[in-house]
Amino acid sequence: MLGEFNKNSANPTSKLSETMRATAFTTHTYKHTTMGFLEDIQAMPNEYAYSRQFFDRYYVPNTPPSSLRAT
């Protein structure tokens, strides 16, 4: 992800958009880009345990779909 972030941040239009969002939306979540900020991406390895816990909690087949077929 860091490589993709660096590739996109090299584009002047992307950098301008990120700066404008951060300035315009100081308290709203619109200031966040899809990939997040550089600090977020660099902190990802430190948050692996939380990510795994989130995944295990919400990405499980609690109620798998079922289908009936009549012949």
Side-chain angles (χ1 to χ4, degrees), residues 5 8 12-37 40:
F5 179 85
N8 291 336
T13 305
S14 296
K15 198 57 155 171
L16 176 63
S17 177
E18 182 181 332
T19 304
M20 285 177 36
R21 279 190 208 151
T23 304
F25 302 107
T26 56
T27 58
H28 198 278
T29 57
Y30 283 165
K31 74 177 180 179
H32 295 284
T33 62
T34 304
M35 293 186 67
F37 297 112
D40 299 332

Side-chain angles (χ1 to χ4, degrees), residues 38-56:
L38 181 60
E39 297 82 22
D40 299 332
I41 295 169
Q42 290 173 334
M44 285 174 115
N46 300 332
E47 299 297 328
Y48 180 77
Y50 171 77
S51 299
R52 192 69 212 169
Q53 180 185 17
F54 183 89
F55 181 84
D56 290 341

